[in-house]
């Protein structure tokens, strides 16, 4: 039964005979209530498409068609569409009939009472683009309570804010509380509300969270809990390998999102796919933990995520205004029972200190930064506010649990790429000589190719596609201690001497070069300067010796 049914007992398919399980005298399957909507005026039946394979439902549909001599249109649709039609018909019935006497204020209080009876800690109303959902938080898990129309959701949210003695301002974030006589009969002593517009803004999408404080803790009725539904996970599966991530990197990223606390920071230049992979991981979380609330604060929202409310930051002309907007929205979201928070680019002190305040509350977070490689994220954060973001504070795996650097690099067309000339005039002699030092028994210079003239296979671009080249760093306590004691350069080199560390983006780029898949000219343009392989190895060896010397000096003090 929908939320409106529960408080008004309006059943749209009840017949004149009083049989609430019959339509046109034909008995419906016992569990079909709430799964279909019949528009008698237009003889139009919509049924939950998930029931299309059930023989008893198909038989019922055929019987109904025969009873109406074929004068009925039947459509199989998503349950959200059915729920929206039911809610609208209930709403119309109440406005036109006996139910019209029950005002929205009473319905709002009925919803709060239901939350108390269920033993819920929170109730969420998410008004989306085409419909709205009511969700309850029970024992740390979110469950779906009902689907309603957007029109009804607006009226319900307005009524709830009337109980706080405020006016509902749809375009603004709001908070408030309900207490005292306004909660009489609900079993609650206080309700704290926090509401914000979410994307898509042009559809007037909203998210309202209500934190419930009961007077006496109740044991929820089993029958009431049976009516709740698990949150439907997004379709599909996580596929990082096809876009260029290695199996080791995919494994590490999925390990990072299993952390209870800490931030995964994605680094790279604009357009390197940072937000895209952050959203893919968010979908993976929603598939594996659908009962957890995720939220994103972005400037601007690039892709709509149906499973996670997204707060958009627009019309901020200065860094200060953007920072203040991030701070305000983050403070609001932290009051809305969020488990995982995605924060847009950390670019200035206001946003950085906002990020740290959220990270210190003990939740999983994801964010992005513009740095040349992932190890530079740490000193850049410190430089934004040397006191608040000092290395001993931020260099903690409970604060930063993953560092990711990434690029999108062009992959040569297999059909028109040309052999590479070791006298390539596009590169300096120093760089051409450095390329040759990367040769190994299975890496031959004869395999290197360069951009060709283009052909029909690549639409005359010379490249077939772009793929990710990345480095995924696991910031354990040893690495964090190195950051504090020795700084990012030595910490980076020492990390790369580990047998289990991920290779650098330059190393992966050079591997693509010797596979004939990437033009060597693109390596310095897209990744970093090509240096001699031997030079890099000597740098790491010197770093280790420097560490030993510094450790000895430090021990002498």
């Amino acid at each position: 039964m929908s939320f409106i049914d529960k408080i008004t007992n309006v059943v749209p398919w009840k017949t004149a005979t009083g049989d609430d399980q019959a339509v046109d005298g034909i008995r419906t399957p016992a569990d079909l209530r709430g799964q279909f909507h019949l528009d008698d005026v237009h003889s139009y039946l919509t049924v939950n498409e998930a029931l299309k394979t059930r023989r008893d439902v198909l038989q019922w549909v055929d019987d109904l068609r025969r009873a109406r001599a074929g004068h009925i249109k039947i459509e199989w649709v998503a349950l959200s569409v059915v729920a929206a039609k039911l809610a609208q018909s209930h709403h119309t019935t109440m406005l036109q009939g006996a139910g019209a006497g029950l005002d929205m204020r009473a319905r709002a209080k009925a919803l709060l009472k239901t939350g108390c009876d269920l033993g819920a800690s929170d109730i969420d109303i998410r008004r989306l683009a085409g419909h709205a959902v009511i969700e309850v938080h029970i024992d740390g898990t979110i469950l779906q309570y009902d689907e309603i129309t957007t029109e009804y959701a607006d009226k319900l949210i307005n009524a709830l804010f009337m109980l706080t003695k405020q006016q509902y301002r749809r375009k603004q974030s709001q908070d408030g509380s309900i207490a005292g006589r306004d909660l009489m009969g609900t079993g609650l002593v206080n309700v704290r509300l926090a509401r914000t517009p979410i994307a898509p803004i042009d559809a007037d999408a909203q998210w309202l969270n209500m934190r419930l404080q009961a007077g006496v803790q109740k044991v929820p009725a089993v029958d009431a809990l049976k009516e709740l539904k698990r949150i439907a996970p997004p379709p599909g599966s996580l596929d990082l390998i096809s876009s260029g991530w290695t199996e080791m990197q995919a494994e590490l990223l999925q390990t990072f999102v299993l952390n209870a606390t800490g931030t995964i920071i994605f680094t790279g230049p604009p357009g390197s796919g940072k937000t895209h992979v952050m959203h893919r991981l968010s979908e993976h979380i929603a598939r594996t933990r659908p009962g957890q609330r995720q939220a994103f604060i972005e400037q601007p929202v690039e892709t709509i995520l149906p499973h996670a409310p997204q707060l958009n930051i627009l019309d901020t002309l200065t860094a200060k205004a953007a920072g203040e907007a991030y701070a305000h929205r983050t403070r609001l979201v932290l009051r809305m029972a969020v488990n995982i928070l995605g924060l847009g680019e950390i670019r200035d002190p206001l946003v950085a200190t906002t990020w740290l305040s959220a990270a210190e509350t003990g939740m999983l977070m994801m964010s992005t930064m513009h740095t040349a490689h992932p190890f530079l994220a740490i000193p850049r954060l410190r430089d934004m506010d040397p006191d608040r973001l000092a290395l001993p504070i931020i260099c903690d795996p409970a604060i930063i649990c993953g560092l990711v650097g990434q690029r999108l690099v062009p992959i040569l067309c297999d059909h028109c790429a040309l052999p590479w000339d070791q006298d390539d005039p596009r590169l300096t002699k120093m760089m051409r000589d450095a390329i040759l030092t990367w040769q190994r028994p299975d890496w031959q210079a004869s395999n290197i190719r360069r951009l060709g003239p283009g052909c029909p296979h690549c639409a005359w671009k010379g490249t077939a596609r772009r793929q990710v080249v990345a480095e995924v760093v696991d910031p354990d306590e040893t690495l964090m201690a190195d950051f504090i004691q020795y700084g990012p350069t030595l910490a980076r080199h020492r990390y790369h001497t580990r047998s289990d560390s991920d290779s650098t983006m330059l190393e992966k780029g050079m591997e693509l070069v010797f596979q004939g898949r990437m033009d060597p000219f693109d390596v310095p343009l897209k990744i970093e300067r090509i240096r001699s392989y031997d030079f890099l190895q000597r740098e790491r060896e010197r770093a280790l010796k420097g560490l030993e010397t510094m450790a000895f000096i430090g021990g002498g003090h």
Side-chain angles (χ1 to χ4, degrees):
M1 225 187 257
S2 74
F3 164 62
I4 305 175
D5 278 341
K6 292 166 188 170
I7 63 173
T8 63
N9 294 319
V10 176
V11 183
W13 57 85
K14 192 164 185 174
T15 62
T17 63
D19 183 0
D20 65 357
Q21 290 294 319
V23 178
D24 290 355
I26 300 169
R27 189 166 186 82
T28 66
D31 60 346
L32 201 58
R33 182 186 293 249
Q35 305 281 319
F36 75 96
H37 172 265
L38 176 61
D39 182 346
D40 271 316
V41 176
H42 302 98
S43 288
Y44 193 98
L45 175 69
T46 51
V47 188
N48 179 10
E49 62 187 0
L51 305 178
K52 198 172 184 178
T53 57
R54 277 184 41 181
R55 295 182 63 181
D56 59 336
V57 174
L58 293 174
Q59 184 62 55
W60 174 76
V61 169
D62 286 339
D63 291 343
L64 184 59
R65 183 185 287 114
R66 284 194 295 271
R68 297 204 175 194
H71 299 301
I72 184 171
K73 182 177 179 181
I74 299 168
E75 184 178 8
W76 302 90
V77 298
L79 180 58
S80 59
V81 177
V82 175
K85 289 180 178 291
L86 286 172
Q88 182 60 45
S89 64
H90 296 168
H91 182 56
T92 302
T93 300
M94 287 185 290
L95 289 178
Q96 296 175 350
L102 187 62
D103 64 12
M104 292 303 303
R105 183 185 179 95
R107 295 173 201 165
K109 291 181 66 174
L111 175 60
L112 296 175
K113 182 180 186 303
T114 298
C116 180
D117 293 342
L118 290 170
S121 62
D122 298 78
I123 300 175
D124 285 351
I125 299 176
R126 290 194 296 134
R127 184 197 189 280
L128 308 173
H131 69 291
V133 292
I134 301 176
E135 297 162 331
V136 293
H137 300 230
I138 297 178
D139 294 334
T141 298
I142 300 174
L143 299 166
Q144 182 174 305
Y145 175 67
D146 200 10
E147 290 182 295
I148 57 178
T149 65
T150 54
E151 180 184 3
Y152 193 86
D154 286 336
K155 294 180 183 296
L156 187 58
I157 295 172
N158 181 59
L160 287 161
F161 269 92
M162 287 178 62
L163 292 173
T164 71
K165 309 300 189 290
Q166 293 185 60
Q167 183 179 354
Y168 172 34
R169 296 179 176 85
R170 183 178 302 181
K171 300 294 184 182
Q172 302 175 19
S173 298
Q174 291 178 273
D175 56 17
S177 62
I178 307 171
R181 298 183 60 183
D182 290 316
L183 290 175
M184 288 182 62
T186 65
L188 301 170
V189 296
N190 188 69
V191 177
R192 189 184 70 196
L193 284 74
R195 186 198 63 81
T196 182
I198 57 175
I201 298 296
D202 56 357
D204 285 329
Q206 308 283 328
W207 172 29
L208 169 66
N209 170 265
M210 294 174 280
R211 173 62 53 87
L212 312 181
Q213 183 180 350
V216 178
Q217 195 66 36
K218 293 184 177 181
V219 177
V222 174
D223 290 342
L225 293 175
K226 283 171 60 178
E227 295 188 16
L228 303 177
K229 298 178 182 178
R230 294 190 177 188
I231 303 297
S237 60
L238 180 65
D239 177 17
L240 297 174
I241 309 300
S242 63
S243 56
W245 300 86
T246 68
E247 292 185 5
M248 172 185 170
Q249 291 172 338
E251 182 82 8
L252 270 175
L253 290 173
Q254 292 177 72
T255 300
F256 291 163
V257 298
L258 287 174
N259 283 327
T261 64
T263 304
I264 311 164
I265 300 179
F266 298 87
T267 70
S272 56
K274 301 183 295 297
T275 300
H276 176 78
V277 70
M278 191 163 65
H279 285 177
R280 297 296 75 76
L281 287 172
S282 171
E283 290 175 347
H284 175 69
I285 294 171
R287 279 189 288 267
T288 56
R289 288 176 279 168
Q292 299 288 286
R293 170 68 72 228
Q294 299 184 61
F296 282 81
I297 303 172
E298 301 174 82
Q299 185 187 22
V301 170
E302 299 175 11
T303 305
I304 299 298
L305 299 175
H307 63 275
Q310 295 164 281
L311 283 66
N312 209 350
I313 295 179
L314 296 173
D315 303 326
T316 51
L317 301 180
T318 66
K320 180 181 179 182
E324 290 173 347
Y326 268 111
H328 173 262
R329 285 162 175 75
T330 302
R331 286 193 297 269
L332 181 71
V333 165
L334 292 178
R335 295 197 297 270
M336 300 177 78
V338 169
N339 305 106
I340 299 108
L341 176 61
L343 194 63
E345 182 193 346
I346 302 174
R347 65 181 74 174
D348 56 55
L350 272 173
V351 178
T353 52
T354 295
W355 156 75
L356 181 62
S357 296
E360 288 177 328
T361 64
M363 66 167 62
L364 179 64
M365 296 181 65
M366 293 186 282
S367 191
T368 68
M369 289 185 71
H370 291 162
T371 64
H373 59 73
F375 294 87
L376 287 177
I378 300 292
R380 186 169 180 214
L381 283 168
R382 176 203 58 202
D383 293 344
M384 288 182 186
D385 190 330
D387 295 325
R388 182 72 177 96
L389 302 170
L391 292 184
I393 296 174
I394 63 174
C395 287
D396 185 333
I399 299 295
I400 298 176
C401 65
L403 293 169
V404 183
Q406 63 188 87
R407 303 286 190 276
L408 285 174
V409 301
I411 299 300
L412 293 171
C413 173
D414 287 334
H415 301 275
C416 65
L418 302 173
W420 179 65
D421 185 349
Q422 294 184 19
D423 294 325
D424 188 346
R426 301 172 303 168
L427 297 168
T428 64
K429 183 179 184 302
M430 182 184 299
M431 205 170 289
R432 293 196 300 267
D433 292 341
I435 291 173
L436 298 178
T437 67
W438 286 79
Q439 288 193 92
R440 304 173 192 172
D442 54 342
W443 287 20
Q444 296 299 317
S446 59
N447 294 329
I448 303 177
R449 298 189 299 169
R450 59 166 291 174
L451 186 72
C455 66
H457 296 281
C458 61
W460 307 101
K461 301 190 304 292
T463 57
R465 59 188 176 87
R466 294 192 301 170
Q467 79 165 46
V468 171
V469 166
E471 179 180 1
V472 180
V473 179
D474 188 359
D476 56 19
E477 292 185 0
T478 300
L479 177 59
M480 290 305 200
D482 286 350
F483 271 118
I484 295 172
Q485 188 169 2
Y486 307 114
T489 301
L490 293 181
R492 178 190 187 194
H493 285 313
R494 184 179 186 185
Y495 184 81
H496 285 142
T497 62
R498 301 186 191 184
S499 60
D500 60 347
S501 69
D502 194 12
S503 58
T504 66
M505 289 182 283
L506 176 59
E507 289 169 314
K508 291 190 179 70
M510 293 308 296
E511 182 176 3
L512 290 174
V513 166
F514 278 86
Q515 289 173 350
R517 300 173 61 202
M518 184 176 180
D519 189 332
F521 183 65
D522 284 324
V523 173
L525 298 177
K526 302 296 183 181
I527 303 177
E528 66 175 272
R529 173 182 169 182
I530 303 174
R531 295 184 182 273
S532 162
Y533 180 78
D534 297 333
F535 173 82
L536 293 179
Q537 298 309 309
R538 288 195 301 270
E539 284 284 291
R540 291 172 184 175
E541 290 172 5
R542 282 196 292 265
L544 286 176
K545 291 178 181 178
L547 285 171
E548 292 168 1
T549 302
M550 293 176 71
F552 176 76
I553 294 172
H557 288 282

